Amino acid sequence: MKKFKFLEHTADAQFIAYGRTIEEAFENVGLATFEAMLNTDRIDLEEKIEIDLHAQQIEELVYEWLSELIFLFSANNIVFNKFDVNIDRDEDGFKLSGSILGEKIDMEKHKIHTEVKAPTYHGLSVKQNDFFEIKVLLDT
């Protein structure tokens, strides 16, 4: 199964991430977000960060997930390419917990080709058929 595909967009970065499970789709959202910025094949797994997020709606959880990834990139100068998450649902909504792995950015090694400023709610959707699809538009 393809992990994600980028869609044509005039000004920003838009993609659909896929997964056999909702967790795999969220992990591929993370990978596509960093792939929009740089070549994720050149990221070594040297730093590990634990993440816990909560939201009432699954689309809100996608937004919170992307906001946290972009914040960690901007505040700590870390780029990521491995995501391992678990998503649970309870009476309060959805909870994401897991870890992300990457390394401190090295401008000689990691050539940034697009700066991602923030996720958006515009066109954000989560669909389930035979597999999960998460559509995202990133403000670049």
Side-chain angles (χ1 to χ4, degrees), residues 1-9 12-22 24-36 62 65-66 122-129 131-138:
M1 169 180 278
K2 182 187 291 191
K3 293 182 176 183
F4 56 84
K5 75 173 179 184
F6 284 98
L7 306 173
E8 290 292 323
H9 197 275
D12 295 316
Q14 188 173 34
F15 62 83
I16 300 174
Y18 304 98
R20 289 176 199 88
T21 64
I22 191 68
E24 185 179 41
F26 267 71
E27 291 163 2
N28 289 333
V29 163
L31 185 62
T33 298
F34 281 92
E35 190 65 34
V62 173
W65 169 237
L66 288 168
H122 182 76
L124 177 63
S125 66
V126 178
K127 295 180 181 173
Q128 180 184 6
N129 295 310
F131 51 88
F132 287 88
E133 288 184 5
I134 301 176
K135 187 174 181 183
V136 169
L137 177 66
L138 299 171

Side-chain angles (χ1 to χ4, degrees), residues 82-108:
K82 179 150 179 59
F83 309 87
D84 182 21
V85 302
N86 185 52
I87 297 173
D88 292 313
R89 186 175 189 170
D90 62 22
E91 66 275 355
D92 293 329
F94 296 88
K95 180 181 176 190
L96 179 149
S97 58
S99 59
I100 56 175
L101 291 102
E103 68 177 319
K104 290 277 189 186
I105 193 159
D106 175 343
M107 294 310 284
E108 302 240 345

Side-chain angles (χ1 to χ4, degrees), residues 31 34-43 79-81 109-113:
L31 185 62
F34 281 92
E35 190 65 34
M37 295 187 225
L38 70 159
N39 180 353
T40 57
D41 291 338
R42 299 188 56 128
I43 299 172
V79 289
F80 303 98
N81 72 348
K109 178 179 176 185
H110 306 116
K111 306 289 185 206
I112 303 291
H113 50 80

